[in-house]
Amino acid sequence: MELDQVLGRLAEGAKQVLQADAATVCLLDGDDAYLTVTAACGLPAGCWSREPIEVACSLLDKEALSGHPVIVADTRADPRAESVPGDYLSAMCVPLIHEGSPVGTLHVYALEPQRFCEEHAALLTPLADVGAIAFAATRALEALEELSTSKTHFIHVAAHELRSPVTVTQSLVRGVLKGYIGELTDRQTEVLVRISRRLDFLESLVNDILDLADVESLERTWEERPVLLNAAVGQAVLLMQPRAEEKGLEMALRPCRRRLVVWGTEEGLSRIFVNLVSNAVKYTPSGGTVTVSLRPLDGEARVEVVDTGIGIPQEAIPHIFEPFYRAPNAKALDEVGTGLGLAIVEDLVGRYGGRVEAASEEGKGTTFAVTFPVYEPTE
Ligand code: ADP
C-alpha cells in the first residue's frame, strides 16, 4: 500500500472512532521545521492544501509535537486555534511518534464547541501510535524497493559494460586461432582454445545475468496480454533449428490445431521456450532428437520439450531450478552453461500462473513440461 493510502486510512479511522466531522494527518519534513497536510478526511475542498506550514506558526501542532495531546474546546476563544481550518469550533491534535521522535500530527475537528475531552485523547493516542508504525513501515518498504531497483540497475549496467570487451576479446582470439596474424604452434593453439572456451563461458554468464536483471526490471515494462502459445513456441524452435542441424539432431515441432492463448508477455514466454529448447539441444548428443509439442490438457495449455539426451541424475532433479546449479553429467560435457537458465524459466512461468516440471532418466533423455492456465476472455 502507498504512503498516501496508509495515511488516508489513518485520517478516516480517526474521524470514525471519535465521530468527528473531519480529520487530517500532517507529516514533518526532515528538519522538523515544516508540516505538510498529507491526508484529509471530511474537510471541504479548498479548506486544505499541501502547502508546508511552519511549525513555529502553528501553536496547536507545536504543542502536540512536544509529546502530548492538545484539546481546543472552543476555537473562537483559544489563540492556539489559529491554524484550524474552516468553521470548526473544536479540535484535538495528537503527535505521531515513532521510536521516541515525532514524525507528524493527527488532528480531529468538530463543528460544535466542547466536542473533545481527555477520554477522546486516550482513544486517539493509540490510533496515532499504530498510524506512526504503519507510516514508518511504509517508508521502509519504499526505501527497500528503491534499493532493489538501483541494485537491478547496477547489475544491468555492469553486465552491459562487461559484454562488449568480452565479445571483442573473443573475436580477436578467434581471429588469432584462424591464423590471421601468422601460424601458431600446437601449444599456442591449445592455450588459445582454452581461453576462447573461458570467454564463451563469460559471455553466456553475462547474457544470463542480463536476462535475470531484465526479468526483474523489464517485466514491469513488458506488456501483459493474451499471447498465442503456438507462435511463441514456434519461434523458439525456429531460432534453435540451425544449432540443432549443426549438431546433427532431428528437431520436430508438433503444434496444436486449436488456438491456445495464455495470459503473459511475449518477451517472457519467448525466453521460457528458448531456454528449454536450447537446453534440449545443448544436452543431446549428435544423432538424437528434440521434440516440442503443444496441446490442451485438462483445461490447461501444456508445452512439452522432450529430448533423447544425457538426462539428469535423479538426485540432481530437485536442484536444477536453483540458480547456478549444474548436474555433474552436464558439467562433464564440453558445453558452456551457467546454471541460471532454469531459474529464469521457473520465475517467469510462475509470473504467468503456470508451473514447470522435469522428468528424466540419466542416459536416456529428459522431458520438461510447462503448463499454463488457458486465457478465456470475459465478454
Ligand atoms: P545451464 O544449462 O546453463 O547449465 P540451466 O539452468 O539451464 O543451466 O540448467 C540447469 C541444469 O539442469 C543444467 O546444468 C543441467 O544439469 C540440467 N539440465 C537442464 N536441461 C537439461 C536437459 N534438457 N537435459 C539434461 N540436463 C538438463
Side-chain angles (χ1 to χ4, degrees):
M1 202 189 288
E2 307 231 324
L3 188 58
D4 279 4
Q5 277 174 297
V6 171
L7 299 177
R9 296 253 173 106
L10 178 61
E12 255 172 56
K15 178 174 173 281
Q16 255 174 33
V17 169
L18 268 76
Q19 295 185 331
D21 295 309
T24 57
V25 180
C26 299
L27 289 184
L28 274 174
D29 69 349
D31 300 331
D32 294 352
Y34 288 91
L35 277 164
T36 305
V37 182
T38 316
C41 173
L43 273 188
C47 224
W48 68 288
S49 78
R50 286 180 187 264
E51 274 298 299
I53 309 154
E54 208 173 336
V55 175
C57 299
S58 170
L59 298 180
L60 193 58
D61 289 289
K62 197 174 162 201
E63 197 177 325
L65 285 170
S66 69
H68 60 87
V70 182
I71 298 169
V72 173
D74 191 330
T75 55
R76 293 163 298 190
D78 194 323
R80 295 172 302 177
E82 211 178 303
S83 58
V84 171
D87 303 325
Y88 299 107
L89 295 183
S90 53
M92 178 160 64
C93 177
V94 296
L96 295 176
I97 295 186
H98 180 64
E99 290 180 346
S101 309
V103 293
T105 50
L106 172 61
H107 302 241
V108 282
Y109 304 111
L111 288 166
E112 81 261 33
Q114 320 283 349
R115 180 69 181 70
F116 306 113
C117 61
E118 292 300 327
E119 228 172 83
H120 293 115
L123 274 177
L124 199 58
T125 305
L127 192 68
D129 291 344
V130 174
I133 293 171
F135 159 73
T138 316
R139 272 270 161 91
L141 206 68
E142 280 176 2
L144 268 180
E145 273 168 13
E146 230 169 78
L147 202 67
S148 160
T149 311
S150 11
K151 183 201 78 185
T152 310
H153 180 69
F154 168 76
I155 294 174
H156 210 266
V157 172
H160 254 296
E161 290 300 310
L162 268 175
R163 185 150 65 174
S164 38
V166 169
T167 314
V168 171
T169 317
Q170 177 67 295
S171 73
L172 286 173
V173 170
R174 287 202 177 123
V176 176
L177 272 171
K178 282 185 181 152
Y180 291 161
I181 57 163
E183 220 167 286
L184 300 173
T185 65
D186 287 352
R187 181 78 188 119
Q188 285 168 335
T189 307
E190 193 189 310
V191 171
L192 282 172
V193 166
R194 285 209 334 246
I195 293 176
S196 175
R197 288 205 43 75
R198 298 311 295 163
L199 286 170
D200 271 347
F201 172 76
L202 210 56
E203 210 170 15
S204 52
L205 184 64
V206 167
N207 284 336
D208 280 353
I209 288 175
L210 270 174
D211 254 5
L212 262 186
D214 274 359
V215 168
E216 269 182 43
S217 63
L218 292 180
E219 239 324 85
R220 284 184 224 127
T221 59
W222 292 344
E223 192 195 343
E224 285 211 5
R225 57 187 147 108
V227 178
L228 194 57
L229 214 49
N230 280 48
V233 173
Q235 272 165 14
V237 171
L238 211 62
L239 193 76
M240 292 314 299
Q241 188 76 47
R243 179 73 190 117
E245 273 170 23
E246 211 180 297
K247 270 191 88 172
L249 303 181
E250 198 180 304
M251 183 130 84
L253 171 64
R254 301 217 177 106
C256 173
R257 270 193 221 119
R258 239 182 76 183
R259 279 166 57 89
L260 283 178
V261 178
V262 300
W263 183 259
T265 69
E266 264 176 24
E267 297 86 346
L269 285 160
S270 158
R271 277 176 202 216
I272 292 170
F273 302 123
V274 168
N275 261 308
L276 293 178
V277 179
S278 69
N279 271 354
V281 170
K282 182 158 72 174
Y283 296 116
T284 303
S286 176
T289 60
V290 173
T291 312
V292 184
S293 65
L294 180 61
R295 67 196 154 104
L297 185 73
D298 300 334
E300 294 181 309
R302 184 176 172 94
V303 180
E304 280 184 5
V305 181
V306 185
D307 66 57
T308 59
I310 62 166
I312 308 169
Q314 286 310 299
E315 62 281 10
I317 295 181
H319 303 290
I320 55 175
F321 294 100
E322 292 166 12
F324 299 107
Y325 179 83
R326 304 197 71 213
N329 63 336
K331 281 201 231 168
L333 279 191
D334 197 22
E335 290 278 3
V336 171
T338 61
L340 285 174
L342 287 182
I344 297 171
V345 168
E346 192 181 43
D347 177 31
L348 283 167
V349 170
R351 282 169 198 253
Y352 309 142
R355 56 183 193 281
V356 52
E357 289 151 6
S360 187
E361 201 176 328
E362 196 173 357
K364 295 224 164 129
T366 304
T367 298
F368 276 94
V370 192
T371 319
F372 294 105
V374 173
Y375 172 71
E376 313 271 7
T378 42
E379 231 84 21

